[in-house]
PDB file of all heavy atoms in Angstrom:
ATOM      1  N   LEU A  50       2.066   7.028  -2.893  1.00  0.00           N
ATOM      2  CA  LEU A  50       1.323   7.254  -4.138  1.00  0.00           C
ATOM      3  C   LEU A  50       1.715   6.239  -5.188  1.00  0.00           C
ATOM      4  O   LEU A  50       2.872   5.794  -5.196  1.00  0.00           O
ATOM      5  CB  LEU A  50       1.546   8.664  -4.656  1.00  0.00           C
ATOM      6  CG  LEU A  50       1.010   9.784  -3.755  1.00  0.00           C
ATOM      7  CD1 LEU A  50       1.496  11.138  -4.264  1.00  0.00           C
ATOM      8  CD2 LEU A  50      -0.481   9.748  -3.710  1.00  0.00           C
ATOM      9  N   GLY A  52      -1.002   4.058  -5.407  1.00  0.00           N
ATOM     10  CA  GLY A  52      -1.875   2.924  -5.056  1.00  0.00           C
ATOM     11  C   GLY A  52      -2.580   2.988  -3.727  1.00  0.00           C
ATOM     12  O   GLY A  52      -3.597   2.319  -3.520  1.00  0.00           O
ATOM     13  N   SER A  77       7.499   2.530  -9.284  1.00  0.00           N
ATOM     14  CA  SER A  77       6.914   1.221  -9.167  1.00  0.00           C
ATOM     15  C   SER A  77       6.985   0.490 -10.503  1.00  0.00           C
ATOM     16  O   SER A  77       7.918   0.657 -11.257  1.00  0.00           O
ATOM     17  CB  SER A  77       5.491   1.276  -8.615  1.00  0.00           C
ATOM     18  OG  SER A  77       4.659   1.894  -9.555  1.00  0.00           O
ATOM     19  N   GLU A 107       0.847   1.623   2.692  1.00  0.00           N
ATOM     20  CA  GLU A 107       1.138   1.122   1.350  1.00  0.00           C
ATOM     21  C   GLU A 107      -0.010   0.222   0.877  1.00  0.00           C
ATOM     22  O   GLU A 107      -0.772  -0.307   1.707  1.00  0.00           O
ATOM     23  CB  GLU A 107       2.479   0.345   1.407  1.00  0.00           C
ATOM     24  CG  GLU A 107       2.851  -0.455   0.197  1.00  0.00           C
ATOM     25  CD  GLU A 107       3.176   0.378  -1.069  1.00  0.00           C
ATOM     26  OE1 GLU A 107       2.321   1.205  -1.423  1.00  0.00           O
ATOM     27  OE2 GLU A 107       4.213   0.102  -1.698  1.00  0.00           O
ATOM     28  N   ASP A 108      -0.139   0.072  -0.435  1.00  0.00           N
ATOM     29  CA  ASP A 108      -1.191  -0.799  -0.945  1.00  0.00           C
ATOM     30  C   ASP A 108      -0.807  -2.269  -0.817  1.00  0.00           C
ATOM     31  O   ASP A 108      -1.595  -3.057  -0.219  1.00  0.00           O
ATOM     32  CB  ASP A 108      -1.552  -0.421  -2.374  1.00  0.00           C
ATOM     33  CG  ASP A 108      -0.369  -0.422  -3.345  1.00  0.00           C
ATOM     34  OD1 ASP A 108       0.786  -0.651  -2.918  1.00  0.00           O
ATOM     35  OD2 ASP A 108      -0.581  -0.104  -4.537  1.00  0.00           O
TER      36      ASP A 108
HETATM   37 MG1  LIG B 203       2.974   0.899  -5.309  1.00  0.00          MG
END
Side-chain angles (χ1 to χ4, degrees):
L50 293 172
S77 68
E107 171 65 311
D108 53 0

